[in-house]
Amino acid sequence: MISRAVSKSPLLIRGRLLSFLSEPESTDDEASYRYETDGGILVRDGVIEAVGDFAEIGAGVGKGVEVADHRPHLIMPGFIDAHAHMPQMQVIASYGAELLDWLNNYTFPAETKFADASHARRIAGHFLDMLIRHGTTTVAAYCSVHRASAEALFEAALLRDMRIIAGKVMMDRNAPDGLRDTPQSGYDDSKALIGRWHGKGRLSYAITPRFAITSTAEQMEMAGALAAEHPELHIQTHLSENHAEIALAEELFPDRTDYTDIYDHYGLTGPKTLFGHCIHLSEREADVLADSESVAVFCPTSNLFLGSGLFDYQRYRKRGKTLRVAAATDVGGGTNYSMLRTMDEGYKVIALQGEKLNPLAAFWQVTLGNAQALSLDERVGALEPGREADFVVLDASATPAMQVRAETIETLAEELFLLQTMGDDRAIVETYVAGKPMKSGLEG
Ligand code: GUN
Ligand code: ZN
């Protein structure tokens, strides 16, 4: 079994610190965050031991403690990506199709290759390194239908001591040979993976019926049974992404009221269920998600790339029954690993609907907001003693174009909006995973 030694010696990280306490209501909402202009984070055994003013934190530790000085850069909790597909690294930039053709022509053939465990291991390592390079320290990830693909991703995450949620997709119809399981094998493989990986290190298993179109009623029932046996587990799937998809799902389950009712009927809604996309929900469907405390996952780069539609973020946040919302890349329908690029596109999607997303709220969303949506906020998403030591160090002057623009920046909100609008992996100075600098990879 692969394992990675956790460093026992403490580390003191210095820089400007930003951590959210609640969802910011405006750019003036100073009560929603904590900001230290010269802050220190004391890390021991992968966990935050103390955080605050550098001089105060520094005074409490012995002289021998190693200091990582990131001044003048901005340190935040590591970004969280609430929905991405590990086996789709080589699907990004596939031309000219909407969802169902894109799945059939590009995605399913690429995922078929994950029957090969060595291919799965190679891509799983690249996938996590790519996320880390872009400042992301936690992901809720889909693997392929093959059990080996999930084994590969969990192994790679354990090696990097990363907190991830992942599962093998269950899919027993409307997919090519080599890419289908059966209701029984999907259940058995998921059960074996849960037993082997869930709760090991920082790993969590997610029951992952791909979507209603690729699962028979029997498989949906088995997924529901598994969820009932394991109420502690996340569930992740896709919902209401594209009009042709919605029509086909409703045709395949004619007894159900609508697409959302398919999942609800099989016991797959709830506070740990992450529904990717949720673009075209009726009010009834939005009520079902709200009442069950399910999470709607906003995937702006994917929704734009596949021409799926505009997620109405502010409608969901402000309606009578508010929806829990997360944000995600959805690589490889999504076109970038960066949560900065994701929220840049997210801002534009929201703007197209006559609304705004203030930059404090955008950074809340990709840190504490996503941690709450993933029920992980007691572990990650904030710079607080006892939380796991996952951080991103950001430079708003990382490129020549950013540098010129940064000359006129006066406020924290302006700095964040510049990072979001112009930033990518070049703006990530470092990414700490469980207290270790990891941007350069495992050996870095
Ligand atoms: N719906 C079912 N599978 C997928 C997938 O892999 N990507 C996206 N964007 N939508 C899906
Ligand atoms: Zn997806």
Side-chain angles (χ1 to χ4, degrees):
M1 172 59 53
I2 297 170
S3 66
R4 189 154 194 261
V6 173
S7 162
K8 294 285 172 205
S9 48
L11 175 66
L12 182 53
I13 298 173
R14 185 173 191 176
R16 286 186 296 129
L17 308 184
L18 175 62
S19 180
F20 291 95
L21 303 165
S22 61
E23 181 174 0
E25 297 194 343
S26 71
T27 50
D28 302 324
D29 187 358
E30 290 181 12
S32 67
Y33 62 89
R34 193 172 295 141
Y35 179 55
E36 292 278 353
T37 51
D38 185 8
I41 311 172
L42 181 64
V43 175
R44 197 186 303 268
D45 297 340
V47 172
I48 300 174
E49 187 167 291
V51 59
D53 177 65
F54 178 79
E56 279 172 34
I57 302 292
V61 297
K63 278 220 162 62
V65 170
E66 184 189 344
V67 177
D69 191 346
H70 287 295
R71 289 175 297 167
H73 300 315
L74 184 64
I75 304 175
M76 296 183 64
F79 298 146
I80 297 171
D81 182 347
H83 180 130
H85 296 259
M86 181 274 284
Q88 295 179 15
M89 291 191 85
Q90 296 176 324
V91 177
I92 299 180
S94 294
Y95 173 76
E98 289 197 0
L99 176 65
L100 298 180
D101 288 339
W102 174 84
L103 286 170
N104 286 321
N105 298 340
Y106 299 115
T107 307
F108 290 165
E111 293 196 9
T112 305
K113 296 183 188 162
F114 286 74
D116 173 358
S118 68
H119 179 70
R121 278 196 291 272
R122 189 174 75 83
I123 298 294
H126 280 314
F127 179 71
L128 295 182
D129 287 343
M130 198 64 75
L131 290 170
I132 290 168
R133 178 179 182 78
H134 288 79
T136 294
T137 50
T138 285
V139 63
Y142 290 64
C143 302
S144 71
V145 74
H146 314 98
R147 182 172 153 184
S149 73
E151 300 277 359
L153 186 60
F154 283 126
E155 230 164 67
L158 191 67
L159 195 61
R160 290 161 181 77
D161 206 4
M162 245 177 126
R163 178 162 291 289
I164 71 161
I165 300 167
K168 83 151 214 108
V169 295
M170 302 161 96
M171 47 195 294
D172 68 343
R173 66 166 161 181
N174 290 322
D177 289 349
L179 209 60
R180 291 187 307 273
D181 54 10
T182 67
Q184 192 63 49
S185 75
Y187 175 93
D188 291 344
D189 283 346
S190 300
K191 197 90 185 167
L193 288 163
I194 293 163
R196 175 134 191 238
W197 297 104
H198 182 71
K200 179 171 280 188
R202 304 172 72 197
L203 311 177
S204 298
Y205 194 81
I207 298 167
T208 311
R210 184 179 202 118
F211 66 158
I213 289 174
T214 47
S215 287
T216 59
E218 293 70 33
Q219 180 157 73
M220 296 294 275
E221 217 157 277
M222 296 288 258
L226 195 54
E229 285 163 37
H230 293 281
E232 74 282 11
L233 296 186
H234 287 86
I235 298 166
Q236 55 184 356
T237 188
H238 296 85
L239 171 62
S240 198
E241 178 173 1
N242 162 294
H243 291 297
E245 170 222 17
I246 296 166
L248 181 53
E250 292 179 355
E251 193 185 311
L252 291 167
F253 291 91
D255 295 339
R256 305 274 62 88
T257 310
D258 47 38
Y259 196 170
T260 300
D261 189 45
I262 302 171
Y263 296 117
D264 202 34
H265 174 78
Y266 290 105
L268 296 170
T269 50
K272 298 201 84 173
T273 303
L274 311 172
F275 285 112
H277 305 286
C278 297
I279 299 169
H280 309 287
L281 299 179
S282 68
E283 286 302 300
R284 194 207 84 81
E285 292 180 286
D287 280 346
V288 171
L289 295 197
D291 289 342
S292 61
E293 299 175 46
S294 302
V295 176
V297 185
F298 181 25
C299 306
T301 72
S302 171
N303 298 346
L304 291 171
F305 180 77
L306 293 173
S308 300
L310 304 178
F311 181 97
D312 201 343
Y313 185 96
Q314 299 297 17
R315 167 187 158 222
Y316 291 156
R317 295 303 287 162
K318 292 176 180 169
R319 68 196 296 276
K321 292 179 178 177
T322 60
L323 255 63
R324 296 173 70 208
V325 169
T329 63
D330 190 31
V331 160
T335 49
N336 203 290
Y337 295 88
S338 168
M339 292 309 291
L340 299 175
R341 305 295 340 113
T342 298
M343 295 317 284
D344 178 44
E345 297 299 292
Y347 176 87
K348 296 171 192 170
V349 165
I350 292 165
L352 275 169
Q353 298 170 99
E355 294 274 359
K356 295 287 175 283
L357 180 66
N358 89 67
L360 291 173
F363 280 81
W364 165 81
Q365 180 70 75
V366 299
T367 56
L368 182 61
N370 272 2
Q372 289 172 343
L374 269 52
S375 307
L376 291 177
D377 48 310
E378 290 186 0
R379 298 185 182 277
V380 293
L383 307 180
E384 301 279 350
R387 297 294 198 293
E388 295 163 356
D390 294 342
F391 317 123
V392 57
V393 184
L394 295 153
D395 178 6
S397 300
T399 67
M402 291 173 83
Q403 210 167 2
V404 174
R405 177 64 184 88
E407 286 174 11
T408 68
I409 293 292
E410 289 177 356
T411 67
L412 177 63
E414 287 173 353
E415 179 183 356
L416 294 175
F417 199 51
L418 168 53
L419 278 163
Q420 170 186 317
T421 307
M422 299 180 80
D424 53 31
D425 54 327
R426 293 169 293 180
I428 309 301
V429 175
E430 189 52 271
T431 306
Y432 286 86
V433 178
K436 292 197 192 65
M438 292 282 285
K439 191 186 177 194
S440 312
L442 270 178
E443 308 311 323

